[in-house]
């Protein structure tokens, strides 16, 4: 697995918008984040610049507008973070993590069946 940049929670909010809507301009990112956060436009621009510096975003200038695309796939980033979490809190042991989750949270019958299907490698009802 290639090493991906460390992304803060705030930067991750920006990345979620870019992953969903790329290619996307600064103004479009700002507009979407103003709907879900109380951040100032300058804050959003700073987060975008940080992501470019970290290599998570790239951009092209189209006339007077900067248009951003991710250099990191969302699935790769999520996978890296999952592995990092697992290593940090459960010494890399997935069974320990699942046991802790199952012992502390009540799972519905549907969630249990979903886990069984995943573990057995068989498709669930309704999957093709």
């Amino acid at each position: 697995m290639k090493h991906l940049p460390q992304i803060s929670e705030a930067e991750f909010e920006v990345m979620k918008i870019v992953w969903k809507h790329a290619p996307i301009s600064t103004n479009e990112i700002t507009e979407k984040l103003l709907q879900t956060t109380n951040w100032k436009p300058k804050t959003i621009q700073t987060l975008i610049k940080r992501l470019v510096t970290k290599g998570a975003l790239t951009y092209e200038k189209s006339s007077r507008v900067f248009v951003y695309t991710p250099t990191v796939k969302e699935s790769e980033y999520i996978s890296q973070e999952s592995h990092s979490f697992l290593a940090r809190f459960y010494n890399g042991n997935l069974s320990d993590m699942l046991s802790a989750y199952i012992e502390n949270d009540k799972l519905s019958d549907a969630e249990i069946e979903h886990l069984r299907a995943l573990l057995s490698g068989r498709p669930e009802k309704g999957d093709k």
Side-chain angles (χ1 to χ4, degrees):
M1 179 186 315
K2 71 178 182 181
H3 179 71
L4 304 175
Q6 290 285 16
I7 297 174
S8 71
E9 288 194 35
E11 292 165 345
F12 184 67
E13 292 303 312
V14 174
M15 288 301 295
K16 288 192 300 190
I17 299 294
V18 177
W19 281 319
K20 187 172 183 179
H21 302 285
I24 186 169
S25 72
T26 307
N27 289 341
E28 291 169 319
I29 295 169
T30 302
E31 181 182 305
K32 291 182 183 308
L33 285 169
L34 288 175
Q35 294 173 15
T36 58
T37 69
N38 59 359
W39 299 341
K40 304 264 188 269
K42 196 75 172 157
T43 301
I44 296 167
Q45 291 171 7
T46 298
L47 292 169
I48 293 169
K49 287 177 189 173
R50 285 184 192 164
L51 288 164
V52 169
T53 300
K54 289 180 177 186
L57 293 179
T58 188
Y59 66 91
E60 291 182 8
K61 191 169 183 181
S62 177
S63 64
R64 300 176 70 199
V65 177
F66 288 95
V67 178
Y68 296 90
T69 54
T71 61
V72 174
K73 290 182 182 174
E74 183 175 17
S75 59
E76 289 176 333
Y77 182 75
I78 298 296
S79 177
Q80 173 183 282
E81 288 302 298
S82 297
H83 284 93
S84 176
F85 175 82
L86 185 60
R88 191 173 336 142
F89 294 103
Y90 296 98
N91 296 321
N93 190 319
L94 181 60
S95 295
D96 287 350
M97 183 188 78
L98 283 173
S99 295
Y101 180 79
I102 290 168
E103 289 170 10
N104 294 311
D105 290 308
K106 296 292 183 203
L107 297 177
S108 69
D109 290 341
E111 290 169 321
I112 291 169
E113 186 55 37
H114 179 71
L115 285 172
R116 281 190 179 123
L118 288 172
L119 292 170
S120 70
R122 64 179 159 77
E124 290 186 78
K125 296 174 189 164
D127 287 353
K128 295 184 180 181

